[in-house]
Amino acid sequence: MICRHALVCVLGLLTVWTLTGCGTPDAGQAPAAPPGATYTGPRYLYNTVGSLARLDNNQPQIVSGYGVVVGLNGTGTSEVPAALRQWLINEMTKKGVGRQMYDDILPMSPEQLRARPNTAVVRIAGIIPPGAVEGSRFDLLVTAADTSTTSLIGGRLWTCELSAGGLNPENFYLTPLALGRGPIYLGPVDDTSRDVFELDENLRTAVVVAGGEVLETRSFELILNQASRTRARAIADRLNERYPAAPSDDKPTANAISPLVIQLNIPERYVDTPKVFVDLVMHTFIDRSPSLVKFKGEELAALLLEDPSQTNPIVQAWKALGPNVAIVLRDYYTAEFPEVKPERADAPRRFPETVTGNRSVGTGKVPLFLRLAALEAGAFVGDERASEYLLELAGHEEPAVRIRVAEALVNLPASNYGTRALLTLLDDKARSVRIAAYESLARTGSPLVERTVMRARNDEVKLVIDRLPVQEPLVYITQKRYPRLVIFQPRLGFDVPTMAGIWGDRLMVRRTAANEPAEFFFQYRDPKQNNKMVTDQHQIDPTLATLAYVLAHRPTLSDPQVGYNLTYGEVADAVYQLAKAGAIDAEVEVDRSLLTRLIDRTRDDRGAPALERPETAPAADTVPENALPAAAAEPGDSAASR
């Protein structure tokens, strides 16, 4: 009886619970968050990676630290901020200072070295770009850490460690993310540039071109809008199929590590252009159907005709469709749509009309914006036919169009039409167009660029002298990707007569007759004679390229010809000052963008690195150590005028 009664009670309680509580959430339990939207962004890009996921870990990483600049000509100081004094001694001791010759410095104690006026403690800041791989390089901004250092000209940054928050004296033992080292670069000193720099601060603030070296690869991540193991695997498979890893890559391009996250690794061919790779990935359609390329290619053209403001995402989507999209794009290469043969002999001839849904691409004239967009995408996917029409547009009246033509041709390095177009643009009346044409030729390793590479003692690139086969002279000084002196007109030299002196007449050039060499006078401190002032006199070929070579060359047993081993910054300044003095009949374009960007974006008003502003990081153009880029890459911004 008791068991039966207990059973009835239990059943009764279950009934009450079922009627009153089953399926009802407990009091206080928060309702589940609604799932995110499957797709985001414009409808015409639905089912692309970018519509199904967002990119994460894609912010620049600011790194900083303290270092020592050596090799100054008495413009450093023995003063060291108190908070850094013991750290500096420890760093010197770790590097072997006092025990052996280190970095061309004779053995001396850390205290003796610190007391020399040829050294200075500097603050260092740099920006590691998103997707940077181990060993890639980036530029560094260095600023004298004390007020007694008057100039960093001629100095060289000792190898130092850089980390996030490394300028805080209490953070000396953070995990290093990069190393910094290399020669100091200061842009040519121009009194007219005071509106950009205060002259004194300009001498105390400088750049180490490609001086930062990344210690650990920074992978991107794709975060899905909705967690789905099936979708994550489908996206990863599609990306591995579309952008396969090279045999030298140690990881697949994409790896679905969870239903929500896909790890994205940059293939070797995109190491120097991670933004190009990311743009392709985010605009890649997941659909593999054979009809996708034609259908989507035509739909995108119709949309662009309706809304030219969508040019950039549509061009990126065309590029991501791959080489087969050229079949669609060719209809828009010409100024007019091609005529279609009639089906019957008596039928009227007409222009084709591509219809997608209720949209029509139209007939007759192809708008310039559509034509340029198609040619840019066609060149990117390697369609040789695009080069013929790009050659035609190389004569367009608008400089902006000619610049886009030059930039597009970087993707067609073996094209005969493209080479002709770039040769034409090298002699363009607009300086920015000429520079854009040169950049495309340089990035493709064109034999039209006569190149001399000057290397430092450690075999790193110190200076590249490029000469171009054109008639109109121009000198271009730039540090993008690597330090360069670009001379438009191979035999550009010194006027007759010329008698010019710079640097307080420590460097003088004289030329008295057209068929005679130039005389070169240089006064310098000779370390082999206890830094005694020595004056050399030589006769040299009267060209600017020869002078630059002599100034930069470091004599060795295998190459003992005369040279003074000056830094890139000193050579660039010499060229600039000689042109300013009237010794060279050519305009000089100085690319100040690197220095101005780094100063503006990594310093606050007090001169301290502004570490809270990673979103303003400059685009990264770097080269691996001991190497120059040969593969095609997207051109950067035009050089800034002096």
Side-chain angles (χ1 to χ4, degrees), residues 61 91 299 309 376 403 422 560 621:
Q61 173 70 63
E91 287 297 301
E299 180 190 44
S309 69
E376 287 172 332
I403 288 175
L422 290 173
D621 291 319

Side-chain angles (χ1 to χ4, degrees), residues 514-531:
N515 296 324
E516 294 182 2
E519 291 183 281
F520 166 75
F521 304 85
F522 186 48
Q523 188 179 52
Y524 63 99
R525 294 185 182 275
D526 188 353
K528 297 179 181 178
Q529 302 185 43
N530 294 322
N531 285 328

Side-chain angles (χ1 to χ4, degrees), residues 565-622:
N565 197 28
L566 298 189
T567 67
Y568 166 63
E570 292 169 320
V571 175
D573 190 66
V575 171
Y576 178 79
Q577 300 296 346
L578 285 170
K580 187 178 176 182
I584 304 167
D585 187 16
E587 293 182 322
V588 179
E589 180 86 357
V590 179
D591 176 13
R592 297 190 185 276
S593 59
L594 170 63
L595 188 57
T596 54
R597 282 201 310 263
L598 285 174
I599 288 178
D600 292 343
R601 295 171 180 177
T602 61
R603 291 198 313 167
D604 61 20
D605 294 338
R606 300 181 305 279
L611 303 184
E612 73 279 2
R613 297 183 59 201
E615 75 282 359
T616 59
D621 291 319
T622 59

Side-chain angles (χ1 to χ4, degrees), residues 101-185:
M101 186 173 180
Y102 177 79
D103 207 9
D104 298 339
I105 303 296
L106 294 174
M108 63 181 67
S109 72
E111 284 290 352
Q112 289 175 317
L113 181 60
R114 182 181 65 79
R116 299 180 69 193
N118 295 338
T119 64
V121 177
V122 292
R123 295 189 299 264
I124 308 162
I127 303 171
I128 301 178
V133 301
E134 180 182 353
S136 62
R137 307 300 287 267
F138 59 98
D139 302 309
L140 300 176
L141 176 71
V142 296
T143 305
D146 60 89
T147 57
S148 300
T149 297
T150 58
S151 173
L152 297 176
I153 289 177
R156 179 163 36 89
L157 177 66
W158 264 4
T159 301
C160 59
E161 295 178 345
L162 304 172
S163 56
L167 286 176
N168 185 338
E170 298 179 357
N171 291 345
F172 285 147
Y173 304 105
L174 293 173
T175 301
L177 302 177
L179 298 178
R181 65 177 179 274
I184 296 294
Y185 169 75

Side-chain angles (χ1 to χ4, degrees), residues 12 73 140 146-147 167 171 232 320 326 328 335 372 401 413 462 467:
N73 187 21
L140 300 176
D146 60 89
T147 57
L167 286 176
N171 291 345
V328 175
L372 261 178
V401 172
K462 175 167 71 173
R467 293 186 292 172

